[in-house]
């Protein structure tokens, strides 16, 4: 039996490679880029940081790495345009001026943080959920192409990888019996919305055929709705399609390991076997 950690061997690889590819990061820098993106999301994990380096210091160092790669790349694309995202950023104008280095650096970090662990958590938690719900796995396998996009919505609802964000109320209102004043900070718990029993029948069950599935896993609409949701859906489709085809016997062999911190709760390891 060939055993591996699904997170390290499969789930962790796809998101940063996809972002690097979209941006147009040169082959020689992809590994550094990928490692820095992973290190930012893992900075809270004491076992993954070099000894004596605080989480904040470590995060700052990795942010600098991503900043430098992003800025160098966009500056290079200003004189050597291509069909990648860096070239689009290089040519972009805001109010008649080019995008600044700081904005390029921030965009590189934003994409690397927003698009990395979210996708990794969704694939890993969905592999676990499929393993624990063999009837659902069989339903998807029976007609993969026709059912995968609908299943992806349930993958995202059920795993809810983004737990919460803060928002500042721009006007006063009453919500769920609570009075919110303009200027109040409000915590938005996407995971709670995704288990709302007044919206979803049996919300704690993993049901791939849910229809409709008005989940909030990518946000609730509006200007901050996940910018990468289409990319994420394409990644999930590609990964599950290849897994079902190439690793039809993949199954979970032990308990997942989670990392908890003040900031997040994430799956860190998932033992699986491929035969
Ligand atoms: C399954 C994977 C993903 C999930 C569950 C997810 C979830 C989210 C959520 C909940 C938000 C906040 C939305 C809101 O509050 O309205 C968000 C924002 C964002 N996401 Fe994603 N995301 C995923 C993948 C990606 C990918 C692959 C990228 C880019 C490559 C990406 C880029 C962004 C960006 C840039 C924002 C900020 C949008 C803004 O504030 O204007 N995400 N995502």
């Amino acid at each position: 039996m060939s055993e591996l950690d699904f997170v390290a061997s499969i789930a962790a690889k796809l998101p940063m490679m996809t972002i690097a590819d979209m941006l147009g990061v040169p082959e020689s820098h992809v590994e550094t880029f990928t490692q820095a993106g992973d290190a930012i999301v893992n900075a809270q994990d004491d076992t993954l940081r070099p000894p004596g380096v605080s989480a904040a210091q470590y995060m700052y160092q990795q942010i600098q790495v991503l900043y430098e790669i992003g800025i160098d790349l966009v500056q290079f694309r200003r004189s050597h345009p291509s069909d990648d995202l860096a070239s689009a950023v290089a040519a972009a104008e805001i109010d008649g001026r080019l995008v600044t280095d700081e904005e390029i650096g921030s965009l590189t970090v934003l994409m690397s943080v927003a698009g990395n662990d979210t996708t990794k958590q969704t694939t890993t938690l969905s592999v676990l959920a499929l393993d624990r719900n063999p009837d659902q796995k069989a339903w998807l396998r029976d007609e993969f192409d026709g059912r995968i996009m609908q299943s992806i919505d349930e993958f995202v609802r059920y795993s809810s990888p983004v737990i919460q964000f803060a928002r500042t109320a721009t006007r006063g209102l009453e919500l769920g019996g609570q009075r919110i004043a303009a200027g109040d900070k409000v915590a938005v718990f996407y995971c709670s919305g995704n288990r709302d029993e007044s919206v979803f029948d049996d919300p704690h069950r993993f049901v791939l055929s849910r229809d409709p599935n008005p989940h909030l896993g990518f946000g609730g609409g509006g200007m901050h709705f996940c910018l990468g949701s289409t990319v994420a859906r394409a990644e999930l489709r590609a990964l599950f399609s290849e897994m079902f085809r190439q690793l039809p016997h993949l199954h979970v062999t032990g308990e997942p390991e989670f990392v908890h911190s003040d900031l997040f709760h994430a799956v860190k390891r998932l033992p699986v076997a491929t035969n």
Side-chain angles (χ1 to χ4, degrees):
M1 189 162 73
S2 90
E3 289 224 9
L4 46 99
D5 169 22
F6 181 81
V7 178
S9 304
I10 301 179
K13 294 203 189 293
L14 183 66
M16 282 306 282
M17 283 165 73
T18 305
I19 295 166
D21 193 51
M22 278 193 324
L23 268 173
V25 175
E27 198 62 42
S28 55
H29 286 60
V30 168
E31 196 166 335
T32 314
F33 182 80
T34 305
Q35 277 171 0
D38 276 339
I40 290 178
V41 291
N42 291 324
Q44 297 286 322
D45 184 344
D46 297 342
T47 62
L48 296 177
R49 277 197 320 269
V53 179
S54 73
Q57 285 168 328
Y58 193 53
M59 215 181 268
Y60 181 74
Q61 289 166 2
Q62 308 309 319
I63 285 174
Q64 290 307 312
V65 172
L66 292 177
Y67 251 68
E68 259 172 49
I69 293 177
I71 291 167
D72 285 355
L73 182 59
V74 172
Q75 279 175 352
F76 176 73
R77 287 297 179 214
R78 285 201 167 126
S79 49
H80 301 80
S82 176
D83 62 354
D84 53 30
L85 192 56
S87 303
V89 175
E93 289 189 4
I94 301 175
D95 299 334
R97 61 156 179 88
L98 289 178
V99 178
T100 64
D101 281 0
E102 203 183 336
E103 286 164 343
I104 298 166
S106 301
L107 178 74
T108 314
V109 173
L110 174 64
M111 285 191 41
S112 307
V113 173
N116 186 8
D117 212 53
T118 45
T119 316
K120 180 166 92 186
Q121 295 297 317
T122 307
T123 47
T124 309
L125 293 170
S126 302
V127 163
L128 183 63
L130 287 168
D131 197 77
R132 288 181 174 170
N133 296 275
D135 59 323
Q136 296 300 303
K137 191 172 182 177
W139 182 84
L140 176 55
R141 189 185 296 285
D142 278 352
E143 208 193 305
F144 185 89
D145 288 341
R147 293 177 174 168
I148 183 62
M149 295 321 281
Q150 183 178 12
S151 301
I152 286 172
D153 276 312
E154 183 68 349
F155 291 173
V156 175
R157 182 195 76 87
Y158 195 74
S159 56
S160 284
V162 178
I163 295 174
Q164 52 96 355
F165 260 126
R167 290 281 187 265
T168 307
T170 53
R171 60 181 172 87
L173 81 159
E174 191 169 313
L175 187 65
Q178 295 287 323
R179 188 75 217 147
I180 297 170
D184 276 357
K185 295 268 187 225
V186 181
V188 181
F189 282 82
Y190 304 92
C191 52
S192 176
N194 281 342
R195 294 288 186 277
D196 185 341
E197 62 282 359
S198 68
V199 176
F200 300 102
D201 288 338
D202 215 350
H204 293 281
R205 272 193 61 214
F206 180 65
V207 183
L208 298 179
S209 59
R210 271 187 201 283
D211 185 18
N213 189 346
H215 67 83
L216 305 175
F218 288 123
M223 69 186 293
H224 291 289
F225 186 78
C226 176
L227 197 61
S229 61
T230 308
V231 177
R233 288 178 198 277
E235 285 183 63
L236 289 163
R237 182 191 181 121
L239 188 80
F240 280 91
S241 162
E242 288 308 310
M243 260 178 355
F244 271 51
R245 200 170 58 81
Q246 295 188 39
L247 304 171
H249 304 297
L250 185 127
H251 61 281
V252 175
T253 54
E255 286 304 305
E257 212 179 293
F258 288 90
V259 53
H260 307 276
S261 77
D262 294 345
L263 289 180
F264 64 78
H265 163 86
V267 58
K268 187 170 128 182
R269 271 190 205 94
L270 180 67
V272 295
T274 54
N275 51 14

